[in-house]
């Protein structure tokens, strides 16, 4: 790894900053005052879901090691009179269905979902990425077990109150005057500053910063069959922007692209360079595959790029991430 990268990693590393046992990292920037102040931004009675649809067409992330969600019905309309139809069939399920039907008109629909926790709109927990045998705050890689990750996992965030605070949208695509950034286009820290200035918004300590590249709507344009082209072409933040994220003391970052940073190797030849600096060194959670389209249109219309944002992860014990339905309130 290059000298420049090593120097940056040392500079942005937050290990010990919030105590040797801390597992929340930059979420510590969201103080009680910051959270209370963020809630006051919901003044217009508007709410926006920032989640992409969760189904068999959901994009998976920067590599092919994951499968799309599988959604199965386990009780459906065809089972409305299952008890009657099963009469005499025997077995535990038949007895349950018969008993339910005999005790009133209530019927139910039930379903299952099987999915990687990193598919679709999600948070990466701090344990999701690491290098050289250590995770955030010096936790050894051996904390990842077949029963889950024992430190820096997503349940710690969920138990601590989830993720909520002042959200700020930086609409890079609109600033460049394009529907979406070019494949593998890199967004620098200087450009983030230029967008914020043009939008008249200031980044505060504890903000959850959302960066729009227009790459999610590009998925619909290209079609699911071109998923690999879309996946490998994803634009994103320059790894050197870790310094900007660090110096602004932001709490988390989320984007509408595949992996926050470009999916192809960076100019230093490494993949997921920003993942290493953020998740492992800074303790900064990454949100991927968010749908910022409707929110961005509203922000452009009223000129207000700040809002109250909630994006609580599921409390999956030892989980390395979580699907989410982030909501922005204005
Ligand atoms: C990895 O698999 C590390 O990438 P992502 O966080 O983008 O899903």
């Amino acid at each position: 790894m290059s000298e420049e990268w090593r120097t940056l990693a040392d500079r942005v590393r937050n290990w010990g900053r919030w105590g040797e046992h801390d597992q929340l990292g930059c979420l510590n920037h969201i103080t009680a005052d910051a959270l209370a102040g963020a809630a006051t931004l919901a003044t217009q009675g508007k709410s926006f879901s920032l989640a992409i649809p969760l189904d068999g067409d959901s994009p998976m992330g920067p590599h092919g090691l994951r499968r799309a969600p599988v959604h199965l019905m386990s009780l459906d309309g065809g089972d409305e009179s299952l008890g009657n139809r099963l009469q005499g069939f025997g077995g535990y399920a038949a007895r349950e269905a018969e008993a339910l039907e005999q005790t009133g008109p209530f019927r139910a629909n039930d379903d299952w979902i099987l999915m990687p926790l990193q598919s679709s709109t999600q948070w990466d927990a701090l344990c999701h990425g690491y290098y050289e045998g250590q995770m955030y705050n010096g936790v050894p890689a051996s904390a990842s077990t077949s029963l889950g990750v024992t430190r820096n996992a997503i349940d710690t965030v969920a138990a601590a109150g989830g993720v909520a605070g002042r959200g700020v949208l930086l609409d890079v695509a609109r600033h460049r005057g394009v529907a979406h950034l070019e494949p593998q286009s890199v967004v620098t820290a200087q450009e983030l500053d230029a967008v914020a200035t043009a939008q008249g918004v200031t980044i505060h300590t504890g903000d959850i910063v959302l960066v729009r590249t227009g790459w999610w709507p590009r998925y619909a344009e290209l079609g699911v069959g071109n998923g690999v082209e879309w996946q490998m072409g994803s634009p994103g933040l320059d790894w050197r922007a870790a310094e900007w994220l660090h110096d602004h003391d932001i709490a988390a970052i989320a984007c509408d692209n595949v992996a926050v940073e470009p999916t192809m190797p960076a100019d230093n030849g490494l993949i997921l360079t920003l993942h290493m600096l953020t998740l492992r060194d800074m303790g900064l959670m990454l949100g991927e595959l968010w749908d910022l389209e409707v929110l961005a249109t509203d922000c452009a219309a009223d000129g207000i790029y700040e809002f109250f944002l909630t994006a609580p992860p599921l409390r999956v014990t030892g989980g390395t991430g979580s699907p989410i339905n982030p909501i922005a309130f204005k």
Side-chain angles (χ1 to χ4, degrees):
M1 287 192 266
S2 70
E3 189 63 33
E4 184 191 7
W5 190 86
R6 288 272 178 210
T7 305
L8 183 55
D10 290 344
R11 176 155 143 50
V12 302
R13 191 167 302 127
N14 283 323
W15 297 6
R17 180 170 178 177
W18 296 286
E20 61 175 317
H21 300 300
D22 176 63
Q23 299 181 58
L24 295 177
C26 295
L27 289 179
N28 284 292
H29 286 309
I30 307 177
T31 59
D33 283 350
L35 180 58
T40 67
L41 297 172
T43 55
Q44 304 179 44
K46 296 186 205 163
S47 61
F48 305 90
S49 167
L50 311 181
I52 68 177
L54 198 57
D55 55 37
D57 293 341
S58 298
M60 296 296 95
H63 50 67
L65 302 177
R66 300 182 187 131
R67 296 293 174 263
V70 177
H71 181 208
L72 300 171
M73 296 301 291
S74 51
L75 280 179
D76 63 23
D79 297 330
E80 212 254 341
S81 59
L82 186 64
N84 277 337
R85 289 163 53 215
L86 286 174
Q87 235 160 19
F89 188 69
Y92 174 75
R95 284 198 298 277
E96 277 289 299
E98 284 159 23
L100 264 173
E101 265 171 43
Q102 283 158 17
T103 46
F106 176 76
R107 299 291 180 271
N109 296 309
D110 269 24
D111 47 3
W112 295 45
I113 194 158
L114 309 175
M115 62 178 290
L117 295 179
Q118 283 76 28
S119 58
S120 203
T121 306
Q122 65 187 276
W123 282 124
D124 282 351
L126 299 185
C127 65
H128 178 55
Y130 63 96
Y131 64 92
E132 294 176 347
Q134 286 182 298
M135 304 178 193
Y136 169 67
N137 230 358
V139 170
S142 58
S144 176
T145 76
S146 55
L147 296 179
V149 188
T150 60
R151 309 268 301 157
N152 294 332
I154 202 68
D155 54 316
T156 310
V157 174
V163 182
R166 178 180 184 250
V168 171
L169 175 70
L170 296 180
D171 192 342
V172 177
R174 197 172 302 265
H175 185 68
R176 288 195 194 177
V178 295
H180 59 83
L181 305 196
E182 287 299 305
Q184 295 170 39
S185 178
V186 174
V187 178
T188 63
Q190 292 71 23
E191 188 169 15
L192 294 178
D193 278 334
V195 174
T197 304
Q199 292 179 180
V201 69
T202 308
I203 307 296
H204 300 163
T205 294
D207 281 353
I208 302 160
V209 175
L210 313 184
V211 178
R212 178 173 171 267
T213 66
W215 202 244
W216 159 242
R218 183 78 180 132
Y219 186 74
E221 269 174 34
L222 286 172
V224 177
N226 293 310
V228 173
E229 184 190 330
W230 177 82
Q231 188 182 43
M232 298 326 293
S234 181
L237 294 197
D238 183 15
W239 59 270
R240 295 174 187 83
E243 189 160 25
W244 187 95
L245 305 174
H246 182 260
D247 291 353
H248 284 84
D249 283 336
I250 69 164
I253 183 157
C255 299
D256 62 348
N257 61 2
V258 176
V260 176
E261 61 192 302
T263 35
M264 293 300 280
D267 54 5
N268 59 8
L270 306 175
I271 58 152
L272 298 171
T273 316
L274 189 65
H275 270 58
M276 294 192 272
L277 295 169
T278 49
L279 294 173
R280 189 261 204 188
D281 290 314
M282 291 176 64
L284 183 76
M285 279 171 54
L286 303 176
E288 295 161 338
L289 297 167
W290 291 33
D291 181 350
L292 304 176
E293 293 309 291
V294 180
L295 174 67
T297 302
D298 187 84
C299 292
D302 68 7
I304 299 173
Y305 286 85
E306 59 172 3
F307 34 84
F308 179 44
L309 179 72
T310 65
L314 299 177
R315 197 167 171 172
V316 181
T317 304
T320 73
S322 170
I324 44 173
N325 179 19
I327 308 282
F329 298 92
K330 289 176 95 178

